[in-house]
Amino acid sequence: MRLGSRLAARLGGVLAASVLALAGPVGTAAPAQAAPAEAFDYPVTPKAGSPYWDIPGTEVTFTAAAGERSYLWARNVLIENVTELTGDDWLGTTFSIRCARGGGTPETDPLPAGVEAGAYWAANLLPHEHTQKPTVRWVFIAPEQGTYTCRLSVTSYSTIVADGRKVTMRVAAGAELARAAYPYTARWTLLQDDERVVGSGSTVTTLGSTITPTGADRIAVVQDAALTTCKAGSVICPGGTSQYDGTTVQTWVEAQPQNPDGSRCGAPKTSTATTWHIANRKHHQAAVNTLLLTTADLGGCSQFRVSLKVKHTWGNPVVIHAGHVGGHLARTHGLAFTY
């Protein structure tokens, strides 16, 4: 596999054509297991917030010094429905990276209270879709010297699981969690107080962080957002009406080179914008975004300010979720590394 393709796999999304031309080392990844995980079937539950199912064979156990940073990413993940879905059926799926102490699980050996323990991807599955390909990327920061285990976990839910009906989902064979160390690695999470609703025709700048890259000349930046359409009568976010069936937004990453004092230093660099249509039945969508830079792109500037741009182009408002969900998993979050 070409090195550019390896990085594309690690970043978990479709990248610009220039990625494929990358050369040179991009870090050492520890495979999740000697052989990819076997297919794993699990039941759908009636309500959101149900316990996770840990995907057997995706555990990565490692020893880390206090403050040591590990880039973790899911790869070769395909989720499909075993039970046929028809008509108005829908399934919500949440797919996560979750970390714990020792060889335990987040339930038996959780990280210390208040320590971010992972990140998640979420979207509904509709009858015509059949499969989902989650993209989850995150940085683990060891809270103290010790041994840690991280794994992939999944849960699916729907109100169609009622009156004796059972629905089965499957994680196809081959799912893995991989880990790599890079010369410089950073992560940040949108705080709960910064949760935003993006209204008609507006563009929001959010998820900001200042990056001072060191150790290598190539830089990868990830900004992944948890979005939900504000449908009429929503208890999650206001402003939706029955005039629209959902929301359409564009998302991209912006990097503004800066001087050490934070003043602007040259023109901003941006990733290609991606369009997301979130119908009412789709409900929520993990919008993943990647920007690749080199230190030459910074034009001699010592740092850059990275932001996520969310542009509303049609339909009801959309909420950019912030903070953490149960188990202290990051919602809208970012990361960067040099390689």
Side-chain angles (χ1 to χ4, degrees):
M1 180 186 291
R2 294 174 63 185
L3 290 175
S5 298
R6 291 177 188 170
L7 183 62
R10 294 178 187 198
L11 293 170
V14 178
L15 306 181
S18 60
V19 181
L20 301 180
L22 287 174
V26 295
T28 303
Q33 61 277 319
E38 297 180 356
F40 173 64
D41 288 1
Y42 66 94
V44 175
T45 56
K47 297 180 180 179
S50 298
Y52 277 103
W53 298 92
D54 295 329
I55 302 171
T58 64
E59 303 86 358
V60 178
T61 298
F62 55 94
T63 300
E68 184 176 334
R69 300 178 178 219
S70 301
Y71 174 51
L72 299 167
W73 74 101
R75 60 187 180 189
N76 304 324
V77 177
L78 179 70
I79 298 176
E80 56 193 343
N81 55 298
V82 176
T83 306
E84 184 177 359
L85 303 180
T86 60
D88 293 330
D89 288 349
W90 61 273
L91 301 173
T93 294
T94 303
F95 180 85
S96 301
I97 294 172
R98 304 196 305 154
C99 295
R101 289 189 276 204
T105 70
E107 289 74 29
T108 62
D109 293 289
L111 299 180
V115 173
E116 189 170 287
Y120 79 99
W121 175 100
N124 283 1
L125 176 72
L126 305 182
H128 67 276
E129 293 176 317
H130 306 297
T131 62
Q132 295 175 303
K133 294 182 178 181
T135 297
V136 187
R137 303 86 65 88
W138 182 67
V139 171
F140 172 80
I141 303 176
E144 56 195 24
Q145 167 75 31
T147 300
Y148 300 92
T149 297
C150 300
R151 56 178 41 80
L152 299 179
S153 305
V154 66
T155 183
S156 294
Y157 54 90
S158 177
T159 54
I160 68 173
V161 180
D163 300 324
R165 183 178 181 186
K166 296 181 180 180
V167 179
T168 299
M169 293 285 284
R170 173 174 296 157
V171 180
E176 296 178 280
L177 177 62
R179 171 178 172 259
Y182 291 101
Y184 168 89
T185 307
R187 83 163 193 230
W188 53 96
T189 298
L190 189 64
L191 300 179
Q192 186 62 54
D193 288 345
D194 294 325
E195 185 159 293
R196 301 285 296 276
V197 174
V198 187
S200 177
S202 62
T203 300
V204 164
T205 300
T206 189
L207 196 59
S209 185
T210 299
I211 306 301
T212 305
T214 58
D217 289 329
R218 294 186 176 95
I219 309 159
V221 180
V222 164
Q223 296 274 69
D224 292 344
L227 307 177
T228 296
T229 182
C230 302
K231 67 179 183 178
S234 173
V235 297
I236 296 175
C237 53
T241 74
S242 58
Q243 179 182 354
Y244 299 109
D245 178 20
T247 305
T248 300
V249 297
Q250 291 183 323
T251 63
W252 66 94
V253 182
E254 180 179 277
Q256 173 61 61
Q258 292 182 333
N259 296 306
D261 64 0
S263 61
R264 291 193 175 192
C265 176
K269 310 296 181 182
T270 60
S271 66
T272 301
T274 301
T275 299
W276 310 90
H277 179 64
I278 313 170
N280 284 344
R281 293 183 66 209
K282 173 61 68 175
H283 185 55
H284 45 241
Q285 177 67 57
V288 297
N289 306 272
T290 303
L291 174 64
L292 299 177
L293 300 166
T294 66
T295 52
D297 292 326
L298 303 182
C301 310
S302 60
Q303 63 190 38
F304 61 93
R305 181 72 176 177
V306 63
S307 301
L308 172 69
K309 295 284 191 174
V310 181
K311 180 181 180 180
H312 183 284
T313 61
W314 176 87
N316 283 322
V318 65
V319 63
I320 307 170
H321 291 292
H324 299 83
V325 294
H328 217 55
L329 306 181
R331 285 172 156 165
T332 296
H333 60 283
L335 63 91
F337 59 83
T338 59
Y339 58 98

